[in-house]
Amino acid sequence: MMKKFLTISILAGVAFAAGAATAQNDPIAQRKSIMKGVGDATKPVAGMLKGTEPFDNALVQKALATYIDAAKKMPSLFPADSKHGGETTARSNIWDEKPRFDGLFARLGQEAAAAQGAIKDQDSLKPNFGKVLGVCKECHDDYREKKN
Amino acid sequence: MSVGGARVLAWDGPTRVFKWTLVLLVLDGWVSNRFGASLPQWHIWNGYLALTLVVFRVLWGFVGGSTARFSSFVAGPRRALAYLRGAKYLGHNPFGGWMALGLLALVAAQALTGLFSADEDRLIIEGPLAGKVSDATVAFASHRHHLIFAALEVLIVVHIAVNLFYAAFRRDPLVKAMVTGEKPAADYADMRSAAAGSWGRAAVCLAIAAALVFGGITAAGGRLF
């Protein structure tokens, strides 16, 4: 019994370490996971914007901090050899227009930083957070493949 | 052709105002999507208004000015053939009528799919009824919303090209008529002169259309804002 448990633990550990190692030098997995984190942080705020969830500035500030962090890390996660594979939905024109693409991340960081101070309540949430989400859409419209 | 330069009514005021307002809304639909990312309500309200206008136009097609009525311009193949042999129309010719119906149907479909559409992650923009349906339905509607717009673009290009062609080569000033409402008097196959629909009636049609659209969305559990 103990032996079986040990074997499984070791196997699981090895699998986990291997997974972590691939994620680390796998820019596609990394950028997808950062973007997923951005999406997850946005969800509660999207509810606040629709009025289905009460305003909670802590969650808003957390989302903004996540964006600023992502905006710093993302530009380096699109090396030339990561156009395909790993089920990426990044469009190949990113690599033709890398400066504009990176510029959008810079703008995401700037808008998020500006919103950090500007958002205090439900009323200031809509206009200021809207500006940040506008950058997401601008980039996705041009550089992210539509699944559907 | 024109009898002593006499002019007759081709399109009444409400029909013309409707037509050019719809043009502006379709343009604004594109603009608000492209440049209004930070104001999702801009695009959403554009859709409500476009849907209201199309519903108005359907009502107006029964009680509006004579050239605006479906009974006067929805033609079967027989009339289309006669037209090809050289008939001239005051209102929509048979093909023009089909085009008008096609454009109205596409704008309606565009607005209706928009009600259920959202961005992929449902974070940035959501139609008022997207929250009431499954992710798969939202994905389906959003996909159609993109395809229908592409189809609309094609139809609009054809529509504009044909109208310019008529004005330039067939001496039929269709675009001008849709602005001024008048055409030179001639031996038209559909009618010699249009009877105008009243503004009062148009206002009632518009009120009913708005009630149907906004009432319908609210009744279906959608939030307008």
Side-chain angles (χ1 to χ4, degrees), chain B residues 35-189:
Chain B
F35 301 106
S38 56
L39 289 167
Q41 293 302 331
W42 176 9
H43 189 69
I44 291 172
W45 274 79
N46 187 88
Y48 297 159
L49 296 183
L51 190 55
T52 303
L53 268 192
V54 174
V55 175
F56 160 84
R57 184 63 186 82
V58 171
L59 300 172
W60 194 241
F62 294 101
V63 302
S66 55
T67 41
R69 295 200 182 192
F70 297 125
S71 58
S72 79
F73 74 78
V74 179
R78 184 126 49 101
R79 256 203 272 170
L81 276 178
Y83 169 73
L84 287 180
R85 279 187 232 108
K88 229 179 149 185
Y89 279 77
L90 175 67
H92 294 303
N93 70 47
F95 295 100
W98 294 347
M99 175 58 89
L101 289 184
L103 288 166
L104 285 171
L106 283 186
V107 174
Q110 181 68 346
L112 286 171
T113 51
L115 297 176
F116 300 93
S117 291
D119 61 291
E120 281 195 35
D121 318 294
R122 295 203 190 209
L123 294 174
I124 300 166
I125 183 168
E126 248 190 344
L129 299 178
K132 301 272 148 203
V133 295
S134 70
D135 284 347
T137 308
V138 169
F140 180 83
S142 311
H143 186 46
R144 298 303 121 142
H145 199 64
H146 290 121
L147 290 183
I148 293 165
F149 190 75
L152 196 54
E153 282 178 312
V154 172
L155 225 56
I156 288 169
V157 167
V158 173
H159 176 57
I160 293 174
V162 169
N163 274 278
L164 293 179
F165 171 84
Y166 271 83
F169 299 106
R170 306 232 2 214
R171 291 164 188 277
D172 198 352
L174 299 181
V175 184
K176 207 168 135 201
M178 196 48 90
V179 176
T180 65
E182 293 180 330
K183 267 182 145 183
D187 191 16
Y188 293 113

Side-chain angles (χ1 to χ4, degrees), chain A residues 82-111:
Chain A
S82 68
K83 281 190 201 185
H84 309 287
E87 291 181 16
T88 182
T89 52
R91 282 174 57 178
S92 59
N93 60 339
I94 289 175
W95 287 271
D96 305 329
E97 301 160 19
K98 195 68 174 46
R100 178 167 179 266
F101 180 74
D102 290 349
L104 281 164
F105 275 124
R107 258 191 50 215
L108 177 66
Q110 285 157 14
E111 296 286 2

Side-chain angles (χ1 to χ4, degrees), chain A residues 137-138 141, chain B residues 23-40 42-44 46 110 125 149 153:
Chain A
K137 179 170 183 296
E138 232 178 278
D141 277 356
Chain B
V23 169
L24 289 181
L25 283 179
V26 170
L27 280 174
D28 186 63
W30 183 85
V31 171
S32 58
N33 173 57
R34 189 76 194 122
F35 301 106
S38 56
L39 289 167
W42 176 9
H43 189 69
I44 291 172
N46 187 88
Q110 181 68 346
I125 183 168
F149 190 75
E153 282 178 312

